Amino acid sequence: MQNTVPLQTIAYIHTDFPRKFGVPRQSGLIDALKATVVFEPPFRNPDAFRGLEGYSHIWLIWQFSQVTGSDWSPTVRPPRLGGNTRMGVFATRSPFRPNRIGLSCVRLEQVELNTAKGPVLHVSGADLVDGTPIYDIKPYLPYTDSHPDAKGGFALQTRAGILEVFFPEDLLNQVPPAQREGLLAVLAQDPRPAYQKDPHRVYGMAYADFEIRFRVDGSRLTVCELLRRL
């Protein structure tokens, strides 16, 4: 007999990524990226957050809301491996899962209890698209959640080094100072899929109120254009 467990969206996260392209591949890679978690009315009781301020990190349990279709696949092609090698879905963090649930560990910067929208959590290091539904939050416990001797499998096969980012000063100055560090760090991590290496191709990435267009040649990323998003 198959049992189903209903899940309620308790909150939505608000980030600078309106689309998936450019979102960090894992949480915690870029602390400069700031986000807020805003709760739905039934879950805005301040008592539910009592004691949360004592933790430095939390787990976010969320939905891959931008994945279309309802089918899952037993094998997937991780971009980290060039998009050609198939691995078991349970050996990856692919969104094409039986239940499209994501898990992210983020730094808890502030618990703001009394806002017009009820309690709001200010976090950093999130790897979520703007508007992602949150199913639950749990405190991160370093004495059980941290395993320094853990194996990383094929996920440790990363690209060599960080990209050198050339961002013309007149374009960078158009980005609000509070968002520059995060944007530069995202670009340095190389937002492209691992199998895309055409030095002449122009890529477009949405970030906050901007569309950033760039090329990558070797280890150098050059921003070609910065447009205001409508």
Side-chain angles (χ1 to χ4, degrees):
M1 180 177 178
Q2 189 177 32
N3 295 320
T4 59
V5 178
L7 294 176
Q8 296 185 69
T9 297
I10 66 167
Y12 292 90
I13 193 167
H14 298 285
T15 74
D16 286 322
F17 294 99
R19 300 198 298 264
K20 290 185 294 183
F21 187 86
V23 173
R25 292 175 177 85
Q26 302 293 340
S27 59
L29 286 178
I30 304 175
D31 281 340
L33 293 176
K34 308 301 181 184
T36 55
V37 179
V38 180
F39 290 80
E40 290 294 276
F43 308 101
R44 292 179 179 178
N45 188 332
D47 288 342
F49 304 85
R50 189 182 304 167
L52 187 61
E53 73 282 352
Y55 296 92
S56 65
H57 293 74
I58 56 175
W59 291 104
L60 301 178
I61 302 169
W62 48 276
Q63 178 193 13
F64 284 102
S65 55
Q66 291 200 1
V67 176
T68 58
S70 58
D71 294 335
W72 71 283
S73 174
T75 62
V76 294
R77 293 185 289 186
R80 187 181 297 272
L81 297 181
N84 296 316
T85 303
R86 284 197 170 272
M87 303 296 288
V89 66
F90 298 132
T92 76
R93 296 189 176 185
S94 166
F96 301 100
R97 330 184 61 77
N99 295 297
R100 294 185 175 168
I101 295 175
L103 181 68
S104 297
C105 182
V106 297
R107 177 179 292 276
L108 180 60
E109 302 285 356
Q110 181 187 3
V111 180
E112 191 176 11
L113 292 178
N114 301 309
T115 79
K117 295 183 178 180
V120 172
L121 305 184
H122 298 262
V123 301
S124 61
D127 57 340
L128 285 75
V129 175
D130 183 52
T132 294
I134 306 296
Y135 286 144
D136 203 357
I137 64 168
K138 295 180 182 291
Y140 174 91
L141 304 177
Y143 71 94
T144 58
D145 293 347
S146 177
H147 301 278
D149 58 342
K151 295 180 180 180
F154 72 86
L156 294 182
Q157 298 180 30
T158 60
R159 284 178 172 165
I162 299 296
L163 295 181
E164 175 190 4
V165 177
F166 176 70
F167 205 130
E169 187 174 355
D170 60 321
L171 298 182
L172 184 59
N173 286 340
Q174 298 178 40
V175 180
Q179 295 172 323
R180 290 176 195 169
E181 184 181 357
L183 173 57
L184 291 171
V186 167
L187 294 173
Q189 290 279 346
D190 196 347
R192 303 172 303 161
Y195 53 83
Q196 294 184 0
K197 300 179 181 179
D198 183 355
H200 303 293
R201 179 170 177 174
V202 176
Y203 299 87
M205 184 186 84
Y207 179 82
D209 296 328
F210 302 95
E211 182 81 18
I212 295 95
R213 295 180 180 172
F214 63 90
R215 290 190 179 95
V216 179
D217 188 357
S219 62
R220 182 181 174 91
L221 182 150
T222 301
V223 174
C224 311
E225 194 173 14
L226 183 72
L227 302 173
R228 284 272 180 182
R229 295 176 55 243
L230 299 178

